Amino acid sequence: MPINHWSRFGLLLGLLLVGACSPDTPPPSSMQRVDGHLDAQGLLSYDPSDYHQTRQGTPGGTLRMSAALDTGTFDVHSSYHGNVQWLARIVYDCLLYQDEHGKLSPWLAKSWDVSQDGKTYTFHLRDDVTFSDGEKFNAEALRVNLEHMRDPATKSPLAAAYIAPYIEGRIIDDYTFEARLREPYSPFLYVLAQSWLSMVSPKQIREAPRSIAEHPIGSGPFVLQSYTREQGATFIKRADYHWAPPVTRHVGPAYLDRIELNIVPEAMTRYSTLQSKRSDFTLDAPAQNTAAMRASQNLVVRNRIRMASPYRSLTFNTLRFPFDDVRVRKAIAQAIDRDGLAWIAGFGEFLPKSDYLAVNTPFYDPAYRDVLKYDVDAANRQLDEAGWTQRDAQGYRLKDGRRLAAQLLGFESPSFPSNVAVAVQADVKKVGMQLTIQMLPLAQLSDRRTAGNYDAIGGGYWHTNTPDGLYILYHSDSRASPGKSGNNLSNLSDPHLDQLLSAARRAHDPLQLQALYSAAQQRLTEMVPAVPDFESQVLIAYRTAVKGLIFDTVHNTPFFTSVWLDQEAP
């Protein structure tokens, strides 16, 4: 996938460029601003009512909402865009869902069986689901969708990778489908619940696959009425929809008659239109305006954390000087002030982070959360032990006449604004390292990444609903090469970590998975392939007239089927 989810980085959208260095005074804690309950051990839990409808809504009305970026396509199988997380749920459905506690639950599949060897999955499908073109959802539709995901012509950067172990499918009867894998792969059911693996009309896939991009046909609660690239889209309710995930406790069609989505890149415009009641909902609430929005009696702000990988300010190329020395990598990680970066990026909304799994990810182990915490004295000791004991006239460390220096590559975007890079640069200078910054056009950065021609790359997160995100980012099989688009940008190749992550893919027992993933998290704090800075967070805001909002259990993003409008609200 190009540039390690550059287009999925919605968490910093609309960031105002503020001071480049960490604040002189400690920033306020963001703990009270994050939805859910964060305990003393660092484990995050959400109220189950966040994920299901608690009362019946009032039908009717148009929801006017804004987002900062356009996905560019509705063919979710060919996309890696972060907005697919919520956008696909408007038009499409998935085979599976998750319950309030993260366990798998039915959606288009009523139930499923897994063979003892973990290589055969049998899905028992609903028989009452249709696509908006009248096509039935059945075993053949599931087979066609899986083939479309992995068809080279689809150019899938995400869905194809997630089902890579899938070999073939067999239709047992109209509503029973058997999927065969080449090897046990415990994340298989979980990834089938993700929006990027939604079900598209099999007729459209067979007869007009290119039309999916702008005229998608799904089985979801809304139908796309119009779409203008980079401007917006309009969706209308599907009156016969009645197969929302049981977990949501929503029965029948959506409440809203219509959703009008406007693409508004300007953060201040998204805020001002919401404040002036010209819009009802923004999916990218500007962090710099959240204090004002929280103070308003007519607005609501929600702050959710995505599962899997937290945001990283830089990923080291472990094959290149000076980051081929783990002591240098650990020192730089300890030299970066996470509280300061979280404040610069999130204005008190983002939760600082120094380990490798999000706090709400299954099998997250908080035991290692402070191993790489901000500690300038420890960073200096690490560099001394690594032999970088001399200093030049500018204060940079020397070893054998060579300066401790590296270059950080980035792509100027809301996900990695230059002030975050400059703050990192200032922090590492304090321990004697020279870090130069080069912001490149996306195409050039992609070429440098594929060729492995970089010391470090800035920015990035990876959202998935399983801890297998660690495999995607840090297993040696995930390294990029001229013939392969991998996402292990650190080029880390650690046999012990590989063994742990591979074993986790084959395991199904929760106790075994916890042991394997805990050990993997420990190993990552020892190998330090990247610098985690703060959680990958979703900031949304809406008027108090918006009722019934629940969150997708898979992505922790809004789920609009149950949303309704209170016409009497201010």
Side-chain angles (χ1 to χ4, degrees), residues 28 39 134 142 322 496:
D39 66 20
L142 175 53
H496 180 45

Side-chain angles (χ1 to χ4, degrees), residues 471-552:
Y471 186 105
I472 294 166
L473 291 178
Y474 303 117
H475 193 284
S476 62
D477 283 348
S478 297
R479 290 177 294 176
S481 66
K484 178 183 176 182
S485 179
N487 289 285
N488 178 357
L489 302 188
S490 67
N491 288 308
L492 184 67
S493 180
D494 180 62
H496 180 45
L497 181 64
D498 285 354
Q499 182 182 25
L500 292 168
L501 295 176
S502 295
R505 282 193 156 192
R506 297 189 297 268
H508 288 272
D509 177 70
L511 292 177
Q512 185 181 7
L513 284 164
Q514 182 66 70
L516 290 167
Y517 279 122
S518 291
Q521 290 169 76
Q522 178 183 11
R523 187 60 176 165
L524 283 165
T525 62
E526 295 166 353
M527 299 305 297
V528 200
V531 181
D533 295 305
F534 42 84
E535 295 286 4
S536 168
Q537 286 166 249
V538 178
L539 284 180
I540 64 169
Y542 51 91
R543 296 199 307 115
T544 53
V546 175
K547 305 294 184 183
L549 177 67
I550 63 175
F551 289 88
D552 188 320

Side-chain angles (χ1 to χ4, degrees), residues 93-96 107-110 123-131 133-143 145 174-175 177 198-202 219 243:
D93 298 312
C94 272
L95 194 64
L96 302 171
W107 195 350
L108 299 186
K110 297 186 297 183
F123 297 98
H124 308 280
L125 310 176
R126 293 185 65 133
D127 61 4
D128 58 347
V129 175
T130 59
F131 295 91
D133 62 356
E135 287 284 294
K136 291 188 71 66
F137 174 75
N138 53 24
E140 171 63 9
L142 175 53
R143 186 196 68 79
N145 271 269
D174 282 353
Y175 297 99
F177 181 82
S198 298
M199 296 292 110
V200 182
S201 166
S219 62
W243 44 82

Side-chain angles (χ1 to χ4, degrees), residues 99-225:
D99 69 13
E100 303 95 325
H101 308 291
K103 296 181 180 179
L104 292 162
S105 67
W107 195 350
L108 299 186
K110 297 186 297 183
S111 62
W112 51 92
D113 306 304
V114 184
S115 63
Q116 192 167 1
D117 65 3
K119 294 193 289 186
T120 302
Y121 291 73
T122 304
F123 297 98
H124 308 280
L125 310 176
R126 293 185 65 133
D127 61 4
D128 58 347
V129 175
T130 59
F131 295 91
S132 59
D133 62 356
E135 287 284 294
K136 291 188 71 66
F137 174 75
N138 53 24
E140 171 63 9
L142 175 53
R143 186 196 68 79
V144 169
N145 271 269
L146 291 173
E147 291 303 321
H148 183 250
M149 291 175 199
R150 69 176 185 174
D151 184 346
T154 305
K155 298 180 180 179
S156 172
L158 191 63
Y162 277 149
I163 64 165
Y166 171 72
I167 300 175
E168 61 183 355
R170 183 168 72 94
I171 296 173
I172 297 177
D173 60 41
D174 282 353
Y175 297 99
T176 310
F177 181 82
E178 183 180 271
R180 297 176 182 173
L181 311 185
R182 71 170 56 90
E183 59 190 2
Y185 175 51
S186 59
F188 185 59
L189 294 175
Y190 289 90
V191 298
L192 289 172
Q194 293 191 19
S195 290
W196 296 278
L197 288 85
S198 298
M199 296 292 110
V200 182
S201 166
K203 181 179 180 180
Q204 186 174 31
I205 291 174
R206 288 191 301 262
E207 298 180 4
R210 291 186 179 181
S211 70
I212 303 171
E214 296 191 354
H215 305 283
I217 299 173
S219 62
F222 293 88
V223 176
L224 179 67
Q225 184 181 53

Side-chain angles (χ1 to χ4, degrees), residues 388-496:
W388 296 94
T389 54
Q390 297 179 316
R391 300 264 185 163
D392 62 16
Q394 293 177 276
Y396 293 116
R397 290 177 180 264
L398 299 172
K399 180 180 178 181
D400 300 328
R402 190 176 188 180
R403 177 180 281 184
L404 181 60
Q407 184 182 72
L408 175 64
L409 296 186
F411 167 64
E412 182 63 57
S413 70
S415 67
F416 190 61
S418 57
N419 64 323
V420 170
V422 172
V424 170
Q425 181 186 54
D427 281 344
V428 302
K429 183 178 181 180
K430 293 174 184 176
V431 296
M433 181 176 190
Q434 181 184 32
L435 186 69
T436 57
I437 302 167
Q438 185 175 10
M439 306 301 273
L440 296 173
L442 182 57
Q444 290 184 29
L445 183 60
S446 181
D447 290 343
R448 292 277 296 270
R449 168 202 152 157
T450 300
N453 184 18
Y454 55 90
D455 301 329
I457 286 183
Y461 75 90
W462 190 282
H463 161 66
T464 181
N465 58 337
T466 89
D468 189 60
L470 297 181
Y471 186 105
I472 294 166
L473 291 178
Y474 303 117
H475 193 284
S476 62
D477 283 348
S478 297
R479 290 177 294 176
S481 66
K484 178 183 176 182
S485 179
N487 289 285
N488 178 357
L489 302 188
S490 67
N491 288 308
L492 184 67
S493 180
D494 180 62
H496 180 45

